[in-house]
Amino acid sequence: MSTSYPTEHESAHGQAAEAGAADVHHWKEPVSGTSHPEADRLAFWAKAAELLEWHTPWHTTQSWTPPNPETGRGPDIQWFAGGRLNAAVNCVDRHVTAGRGNRVALHFEGEPGDAESVTYADLQRRVNQAANALERLGVGLGDRVVIYLPVLVETIVITLACARIGAVHQLVFGGFSAEALRFRVEDTGAKLLVTTDGQYRRGSAVPVKANADAAVKGLTVDAGGTVEHVLVVRRTGSEVSWTNEDINGNGLGRDLWWHDVVETAAEDHQPQFFEAETPLFIMYTSGTTGKPKGLVHTTGGYLTGALFSYLRLFANPDPDRRADDVHWCTADLAWVTAHTYELYGPLAAGATQVIYEGVPNVPHSGRHFDIIQQHRVTSYYTAPTLVRSLMGWFPDGVPADYDLSSIRIAGTVGEAVNPEAANWLRAQVGRDTVTSDGEPALPLVDTWWQSESGSTVLSPRPESAHQKPGSVAQEMPGWGADVVDDHGHPTAPGVQGHVVLTHTGPSMARTVWGNPSRYYTSYWEKYADRGWFLAGDAGQRDHDGDIWILGRTDDAINVSGHLLSTIEIESALISHPDVVEAGVAPAYDATSGHAAVAFVVLTEAARLRLQRDRAAEPSLLNALRNHVAQVIGPVAKPRTVIPVPEVPKTRSGKIMRRLLTQLHDGEPLGDTTSLQNEPCVPQIQKICETRRTAPAKENTPV
């Protein structure tokens, strides 16, 4: 059974609404209680799609074939069938054609202090050159290009060049190991790997090319693989090994310099236009067990979701004032947050934004505030983990000599923001936005979404006067979500359940690359009869109907029948003045089945105090356990509190709690190559082995 929804509208080339001028804040949102809710929802998305420039209009807004338990396949989802467009044209060319070529697209800030501002006209020239270079290298429609670069202008240029010619891009975090990179090159069957000689990280130039060489060894065409070339950006001047051999028979060596191939290419390029369902990129999820899943996102639907949600959440509500917007999403470009709110969403809107190469505390802890002040940033979108780090670096608040008055809105993403971090962000970064009583009034959009959804699903509205720090509030227009039990029944207020998507938007991933059955078993199998997507997160509604995310479903801790939220315990720990960050994980316990074990990152002051007096540690750790008992209740008191230098996180900032369990209990570790801070794993492992707080499991029932 399938359903399709034709729509009549004008969406031909040149007839699309100017994205930057669209007043999406006052659009009528679809309401589930109307007499034609599905028709209203699809009409809404049809209107959102008209924010884009379409070369050919579409004839069917959405078609949907439900998941099939018999064949083990997820739903067949298509949006805007018949429509043709080009993502790069929408992100660059149309703004130049409209006379906005002199507007700054990117304010680049390098970690060493180098900087560059790139206009839309200049970005168009560079993307055209890169597109011509890609075609010279034999890359075309449907070919995969793996991009292993830090946050550079070149990273955005090559990504848009892939979109321009119909190649499928896969961005890999520049800090990933050769093993993690190799998996992605092999799994995608990449034709080209784009990398750099080195990258700046924490004040040092770190070699990168050697990782690229190791990743493609045995995967090049002369060895029976798919890789034909390695394109290298010169960033640090690091020494590199080089392969000049013409393995592809096209007269070019395997390794090529960016400045030789791209910067010498022609500056004019004629774009092609592709069907809306043409794959745009592959986004790999990360985890501590199993291989990463390559989620496939397509062009028309993804770009619609990215553009609309950027405008709705971050753009000035007054279209006439958007020329003053300066957006900054602090995510690495390889993460889906950056794809949507640092690449495609802001650029499709013609916005000006900041991109920053380095870490937030090099050369000093106020680097982000320097950048906000210099570029007059208006929207600041970051991870709760970074906010908590800033809290630790500035225990007395952000110094008054930083001018942060340009900030109009802040946002968080990655995992639920704890109330302490949310309140600090509003009060310190948004200190110039206050009520008449001097209370924080900075809008905070605590967004919840996933690599799978492609754009924001749940978020408070920026104009909402009722901020609930820690709550992701309600669905974005055109999406449907709920919190349900194992049988699909909505849970009562305050009762934990599974977060599900009852209606998906056009930015939803279509499948898992090369493994469609995994798409079904991972997301659709549990509620296949209802056609719901299982997000894998636990949540609950409050008495107002707002949703609170409680962490991954498998991160919940069942202590003697009491289901405890890891995030709630972490928030309690972080509220203690000696704790900067915390990761709480379930650990084996012979009596209660599980016990909560807390890994804490202490403030610098607390660390120095313990260094001076080691006898003070037991007292502090006991105080932290009692603090949790006081904030939540005795049942939530961690059995053990372990100080660590860092907690392991994915590149999206999510704490890998299952990995903490494995480290604590001495179990075999799963895949750790996708972590943003993998070096902390052996450090924590050594700490756990030294402390020996895990009880023996032999002959003890669970």
Side-chain angles (χ1 to χ4, degrees):
M1 179 181 118
S2 64
T3 54
S4 61
Y5 306 91
T7 304
E8 295 181 2
H9 54 80
E10 290 187 349
S11 61
H13 182 69
Q15 293 179 308
E18 181 186 325
D23 187 8
V24 301
H25 293 72
H26 293 95
W27 282 10
K28 181 180 179 181
E29 298 187 1
V31 179
S32 59
T34 63
S35 56
H36 303 288
E38 186 62 3
D40 292 345
R41 189 178 75 89
L42 296 177
F44 169 84
W45 282 121
K47 185 176 181 179
E50 289 175 350
L51 295 168
L52 298 172
E53 184 173 285
W54 294 80
H55 182 267
T56 306
W58 71 87
H59 54 70
T60 304
T61 301
Q62 184 202 38
S63 63
W64 161 275
T65 302
N68 190 330
E70 293 183 4
T71 61
R73 290 293 185 269
D76 179 15
I77 307 170
Q78 296 190 26
W79 286 84
F80 313 121
R84 300 179 72 89
L85 77 168
N86 184 293
V89 167
N90 272 279
C91 289
V92 184
D93 298 54
R94 65 167 173 163
H95 307 311
V96 178
T97 301
R100 298 186 293 275
N102 289 330
R103 178 179 294 178
V104 172
L106 306 170
H107 289 301
F108 166 74
E109 292 285 339
E111 187 179 274
D114 56 323
E116 179 184 14
S117 291
V118 179
T119 66
Y120 274 93
D122 191 29
L123 185 60
Q124 181 187 46
R125 177 183 62 81
R126 297 188 193 193
V127 171
N128 285 349
Q129 287 183 304
N132 283 318
L134 287 173
E135 290 178 337
R136 182 189 175 198
L137 297 179
V139 178
L141 177 63
D143 289 333
R144 277 79 63 202
V145 175
V146 171
I147 301 169
Y148 183 52
L149 292 171
V151 180
L152 301 173
V153 173
E154 289 87 349
T155 313
I156 290 180
V157 167
I158 196 66
T159 300
L160 291 173
C162 288
R164 189 176 187 88
I165 67 171
V168 182
H169 59 76
Q170 204 290 293
L171 274 71
V172 181
F173 175 51
F176 275 8
S177 66
E179 179 186 350
L181 175 61
R182 180 182 181 84
F183 170 79
R184 288 153 176 78
V185 170
E186 186 172 21
D187 195 56
T188 60
K191 199 170 192 178
L192 173 69
L193 172 62
V194 186
T195 188
T196 183
D197 59 343
Q199 63 178 289
Y200 292 104
R201 190 185 305 162
R202 302 189 183 279
S204 300
V206 181
V208 171
K209 173 67 161 51
N211 275 358
D213 291 336
V216 301
K217 185 177 181 180
L219 300 181
T220 52
V221 291
D222 57 323
T226 59
V227 177
E228 297 179 358
H229 294 288
V230 177
L231 182 62
V232 186
V233 176
R234 182 174 289 284
R235 172 59 179 150
T236 62
S238 302
E239 291 187 9
V240 297
S241 60
W242 204 255
T243 300
N244 283 313
E245 183 183 356
D246 178 11
I247 63 173
N248 193 41
N250 61 359
L252 298 172
R254 189 203 79 170
D255 294 350
L256 302 165
W257 284 113
W258 176 281
H259 54 265
D260 288 337
V261 175
V262 177
E263 294 178 5
T264 60
E267 297 179 2
D268 295 320
H269 181 269
Q270 187 65 35
Q272 303 176 58
F273 298 91
F274 308 106
E275 293 284 347
E277 285 297 312
T278 300
L280 180 62
F281 65 88
I282 300 169
M283 174 59 58
Y284 282 90
T285 63
S286 58
T288 57
T289 58
K291 294 181 179 180
K293 299 186 291 288
L295 299 159
V296 179
H297 285 280
T298 56
T299 305
Y302 170 77
L303 203 58
T304 297
L307 174 55
F308 167 77
S309 57
Y310 166 77
L311 291 172
R312 183 65 180 88
L313 293 174
F314 298 109
N316 195 303
D318 182 354
D320 294 334
R321 300 180 62 185
R322 287 186 190 154
D324 297 325
D325 283 354
V326 179
H327 179 65
W328 186 14
C329 169
T330 67
D332 186 271
L333 286 168
W335 185 33
V336 71
T337 292
H339 280 56
T340 305
Y341 299 114
E342 196 170 349
L343 264 164
Y344 288 107
L347 292 177
T352 297
Q353 60 178 326
V354 167
I355 60 171
Y356 174 51
E357 176 188 28
V359 296
N361 58 343
V362 172
H364 58 83
S365 299
R367 184 69 185 270
H368 273 213
F369 303 135
D370 280 342
I371 292 173
I372 290 172
Q373 176 177 269
Q374 178 183 351
H375 293 295
R376 308 298 296 160
V377 171
T378 56
S379 49
Y380 181 62
Y381 190 39
T382 193
T385 52
L386 176 58
V387 178
R388 293 192 286 267
S389 293
L390 291 170
M391 292 169 67
W393 298 335
F394 296 96
D396 298 323
V398 180
D401 51 356
Y402 287 113
D403 181 3
L404 308 181
S405 60
S406 61
I407 293 291
R408 183 184 54 78
I409 190 169
T412 56
V413 64
E415 59 182 7
V417 63
N418 56 296
E420 291 78 15
N423 290 330
W424 188 94
L425 182 61
R426 297 184 72 207
Q428 293 296 320
V429 178
R431 60 193 176 197
D432 293 294
T433 306
V434 295
T435 66
S436 57
D437 298 327
E439 294 297 318
L442 182 75
L444 176 61
V445 288
D446 178 13
T447 62
W448 177 87
W449 57 294
Q450 301 177 310
S451 298
E452 292 83 355
S453 69
S455 66
T456 299
V457 176
L458 300 165
S459 175
R461 302 300 189 263
E463 67 275 12
S464 173
H466 303 289
Q467 293 280 326
K468 293 181 181 177
S471 170
V472 293
Q474 299 286 340
E475 301 98 319
M476 289 285 284
W479 292 86
D482 207 347
V483 181
V484 301
D485 62 20
D486 285 335
H487 304 290
H489 303 131
T491 56
V495 176
Q496 179 174 314
H498 302 285
V499 177
V500 296
L501 303 186
T502 58
H503 293 89
T504 60
S507 61
M508 196 76 192
R510 301 299 193 257
T511 189
V512 169
W513 179 263
N515 196 348
S517 63
R518 195 175 180 193
Y519 183 61
Y520 172 76
T521 56
S522 296
Y523 305 115
W524 301 95
E525 184 175 30
K526 185 175 181 66
Y527 299 107
D529 59 331
R530 300 171 186 256
W532 291 351
F533 174 91
L534 178 66
D537 275 347
Q540 65 184 30
R541 289 191 185 271
D542 61 22
H543 287 282
D544 297 323
D546 289 330
I547 293 177
W548 298 69
I549 301 297
L550 303 176
R552 300 296 293 173
T553 303
D554 53 7
D555 286 336
I557 304 175
N558 192 329
V559 180
S560 299
H562 299 279
L563 201 60
L564 302 175
S565 162
T566 55
I567 287 181
E568 189 176 14
I569 300 173
E570 289 163 2
S571 295
L573 286 163
I574 293 166
S575 69
H576 191 281
D578 285 332
V579 178
V580 173
E581 190 156 35
V584 174
Y588 169 76
D589 188 273
T591 302
S592 59
H594 283 114
V597 173
F599 296 79
V600 296
V601 180
L602 299 175
T603 64
E604 184 176 1
R607 289 198 303 270
L608 291 174
R609 196 166 70 244
L610 295 187
Q611 287 175 8
R612 290 192 299 265
D613 180 11
R614 281 295 177 186
E617 182 180 284
S619 176
L620 173 59
L621 301 186
N622 193 51
L624 294 177
R625 296 178 66 241
N626 290 332
H627 180 70
V628 173
Q630 183 179 2
V631 173
I632 303 175
V635 70
K637 181 189 289 190
R639 184 184 69 195
T640 307
V641 177
I642 302 174
V644 292
E646 294 181 89
V647 290
K649 303 168 193 167
T650 68
R651 66 180 184 266
S652 66
K654 292 182 179 179
I655 297 170
M656 296 304 295
R657 299 177 183 88
R658 285 175 292 169
L659 180 58
L660 289 175
T661 297
Q662 293 165 347
L663 288 166
H664 179 268
D665 288 358
E667 298 173 353
L669 303 185
D671 172 38
T672 64
T673 59
S674 295
L675 298 175
Q676 63 168 270
N677 56 347
E678 187 181 2
C680 77
V681 173
Q683 295 174 319
I684 299 172
Q685 190 169 37
K686 185 175 181 180
I687 291 170
C688 291
E689 290 172 351
T690 300
R691 290 180 176 258
R692 297 182 178 180
T693 58
K697 295 185 180 181
E698 288 82 6
N699 301 318
T700 307
V702 177

